[in-house]
């Protein structure tokens, strides 16, 4: 059977309707196609394990449900997808598997649909057993041996004697179950079992690297151990030699199926004289008669064995680094392909550059931008003279001395404009107040010309029939009657007349204030400046 079956298409359509993207991807990764799960589906599931809003138990249960299928293809691909998530997914996935009481129950699985089903069912049972053991090992030591830190300061090299003697047997059990897959090169006949074998091959290298470092640590501490510990350590070392032979056979199969020779490590066995030295040391602790051996000879033998195992560890590390480098190059190639595809799309449709990212386009080496319109700006007029410069020397004279009390001609001071925190004194000639400024009509404000506007206002307030008065009449408040109709005039008391010209310059400067400040006082109001009264009379209401 090749290609997606009708059942695969119907199942995927059902999950599309329900909106379960994860379940749909699991179904697409475990179709009836006789090939390994597609990388795009595995990458999506791996990314899901890194998302905090993804239900890991639901994801795992979906994979478990697919192993209940009767087709060996679907079941084998489900196990392969699970293995991928255990190796490359977030650690919380394997943590959840380790917390379960039961995982894959496929010890009796058998696909009777054909001869190939019989053959593949055997490897399915072995493969599921290894995945169960991998989860159990994580439960026992709380870390994955294939991901543990290695090197002189690694976990297995720095472990205490008591913990080491308990941990190394766990590695041995997992290694035994992996090697029990026991496949030959002529049995790797389809893409499904080949995908599973590649994952087992990578696990074998990393697992054996941790196993090798545990043995190095054991040998370095062996001659300082107690009698019971030495007995356990010697048994562990003998099993290690056996498994080294089996892992060498496993690697030969990998070489036969086309795996690059550079990806297969070289395993260097310790000299046989080391085993004799270990057995004699244990016999001496048990009180048996042994050959006389000096401490120097034992140290030399031990050093030679540790050096050989260290070379094996370095070879395993180089293989692991090559795999990481290959994965990095693959990722860079994928990103480069995506970039080239993007550039082609931009060449076909240059408008994408401006609609997708920003309103500015740099295609073709030019920058195309839309001018910004300021909705709150005012129309621009030709530049006018600064307020400090007189616009008309005949109508507007600036005399700073009179403002600051250095000139006795204080009666020419008409107003001092306080605008924007800057004092801008304005002095007008009383004889020229009736002359319009810049051809403007009186009683009007000049747009964008503050000095002209203020000059107009000052002239309007201080003139009557073309004649200005230099004196101000202050009136006492009298009784106010709200009768008389349109001819009603307020009753005024005898006024007090004073002339600021007769006062000292400093007092005159202090007493003359601008009209705007008089209006800000709540008790003073101007008595109709546009009336018939020619004097600028101010009345207290």
């Amino acid at each position: 059977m090749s290609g997606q079956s009708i059942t695969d298409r119907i199942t995927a359509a059902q999950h599309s309707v329900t909106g379960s993207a994860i379940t749909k991807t699991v179904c697409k990764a475990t179709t009836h196609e006789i090939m390994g799960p597609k990388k795009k589906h595995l990458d999506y599931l791996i990314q899901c394990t890194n998302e905090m809003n993804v239900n890991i138990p639901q994801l795992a249960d979906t994979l478990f449900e697919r192993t209940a299928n009767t087709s060996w293809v679907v079941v084998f691909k489900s196990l392969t997808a699970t293995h991928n998530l255990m190796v490359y997914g977030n650690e919380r996935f394997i943590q959840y598997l380790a917390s379960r009481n039961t995982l894959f129950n496929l010890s009796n699985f058998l696909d009777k649909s054909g001869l190939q089903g019989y053959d593949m069912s055997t490897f399915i049972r072995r493969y599921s057993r290894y995945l169960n053991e991998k989860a159990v090992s994580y439960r026992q030591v709380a870390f994955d041996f294939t991901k543990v830190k290695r090197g002189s300061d690694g976990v297995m090299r720095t472990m205490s004697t008591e913990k080491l003697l308990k941990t190394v047997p766990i590695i041995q059990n997992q290694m035994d179950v992996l090697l029990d897959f026991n496949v030959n090169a002529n049995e790797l006949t389809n893409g499904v079992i080949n995908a599973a074998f590649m994952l087992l091959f990578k696990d074998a290298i990393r697992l054996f690297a941790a196993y090798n470092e545990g043995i190095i640590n054991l040998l370095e501490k062996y001659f300082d151990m107690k009698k019971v510990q030495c007995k356990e350590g010697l048994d562990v070392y003998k099993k290690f030699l056996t498994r080294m032979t089996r892992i060498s056979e496993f690697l030969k199969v990998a070489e036969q199926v086309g795996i690059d020779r550079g990806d297969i490590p070289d395993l260097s066995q310790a000299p046989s004289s080391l085993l004799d030295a270990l057995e004699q040391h244990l016999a001496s602790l048990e009180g048996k008669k042994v050959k006389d051996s000096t401490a120097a000879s034992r140290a030399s033998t031990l050093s030679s064995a540790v050096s050989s195992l260290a070379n094996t560890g370095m070879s395993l590390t180089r293989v692991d680094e090559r795999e990481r480098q290959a994965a990095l190059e693959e990722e860079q190639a994928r990103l480069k392909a995506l970039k080239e595809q993007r550039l082609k799309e931009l060449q076909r449709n240059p408008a994408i550059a401006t609609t997708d990212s920003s309103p500015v386009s740099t295609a073709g080496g030019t920058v195309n931008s839309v001018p910004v319109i300021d909705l709150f700006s005012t129309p621009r007029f030709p530049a006018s003279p600064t307020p400090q410069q007189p616009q008309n020397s005949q109508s507007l004279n600036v005399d700073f001395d009179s403002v600051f009390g250095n000139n006795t001609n204080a009666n020419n001071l008409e107003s001092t404009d306080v605008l924007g925190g800057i004092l801008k004194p304005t002095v007008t000639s009383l004889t020229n107040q009736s002359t319009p400024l810049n051809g403007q009509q009186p009683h009007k404000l000049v747009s964008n010309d503050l000095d002209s506007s203020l000059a107009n206002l000052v002239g309007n307030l201080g003139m009557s029939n073309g004649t200005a008065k230099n004196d101000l009449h202050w009136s006492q408040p009298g009784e106010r009657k709200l009768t008389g109709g349109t001819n009603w005039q307020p009753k005024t008391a005898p006024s007090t007349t004073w002339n600021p010209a007769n006062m000292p310059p400093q007092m005159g400067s202090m007493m003359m204030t601008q009209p705007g400040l008089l209006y800000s006082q709540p008790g003073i109001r101007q008595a109709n400046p546009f009336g018939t009264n020619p004097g600028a009379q101010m009345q207290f209401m």
Side-chain angles (χ1 to χ4, degrees), residues 334-521:
R334 187 178 68 87
L335 293 176
K336 182 179 179 180
L338 291 176
K339 183 178 180 180
E340 292 177 353
Q341 181 181 1
R342 180 65 175 174
L343 292 176
K344 292 180 181 179
E345 293 177 356
L346 293 177
Q347 292 175 356
R348 290 194 299 265
N349 188 6
I352 298 178
T354 57
T355 57
D356 289 352
S357 59
S358 66
V360 180
S361 174
T362 58
T366 61
V367 178
N368 300 324
S369 61
V370 180
V372 179
I373 300 176
D374 188 0
L375 299 178
F376 300 96
S377 63
T378 57
R380 294 185 178 180
F381 298 95
S384 60
T386 58
Q388 288 77 11
Q389 297 178 356
Q391 296 180 0
N392 191 336
S393 59
Q394 297 179 355
S395 60
L396 185 62
N397 297 322
V398 178
D399 190 355
F400 291 98
D401 294 334
S402 62
V403 176
F404 295 98
N406 297 327
N407 194 338
T408 58
N409 191 16
N411 57 345
N412 292 334
L413 178 62
E414 185 67 27
S415 65
T416 301
D417 181 24
V418 181
L419 182 62
I422 302 176
L423 293 176
K424 295 181 288 187
T426 303
V427 181
T428 60
S429 177
L430 297 179
T431 58
N432 296 327
Q433 284 184 353
S434 60
T435 304
L437 298 176
N438 295 333
Q440 300 293 334
Q441 297 295 329
H443 308 290
K444 292 185 179 181
L445 301 179
V446 181
S447 177
N448 291 336
D449 196 339
L450 180 61
D451 292 334
S452 300
S453 301
L454 292 176
N456 285 339
L457 291 176
V458 170
N460 295 335
L461 295 175
M463 71 176 184
S464 177
N465 298 327
T467 303
K469 299 289 184 178
N470 291 333
D471 57 343
L472 297 177
H473 300 278
W474 295 81
S475 301
Q476 298 293 334
E479 184 180 0
R480 181 172 58 183
K481 295 181 180 180
L482 301 179
T483 57
T486 58
N487 297 323
W488 175 86
Q489 291 184 355
K491 181 179 180 180
T492 60
S495 61
T496 302
T497 304
W498 58 280
N499 191 352
N502 299 327
M503 298 178 65
Q506 293 80 1
M507 292 298 296
S509 300
M510 294 174 60
M511 296 299 295
M512 295 299 292
T513 57
Q514 61 179 355
L517 295 178
L518 293 177
Y519 299 148
S520 62
Q521 299 180 10

Side-chain angles (χ1 to χ4, degrees), residues 46-59:
I46 291 171
Q47 181 61 31
C48 287
T49 62
N50 295 316
E51 301 295 335
M52 298 306 297
N53 59 343
V54 172
N55 192 333
I56 295 297
Q58 181 181 0
L59 172 59

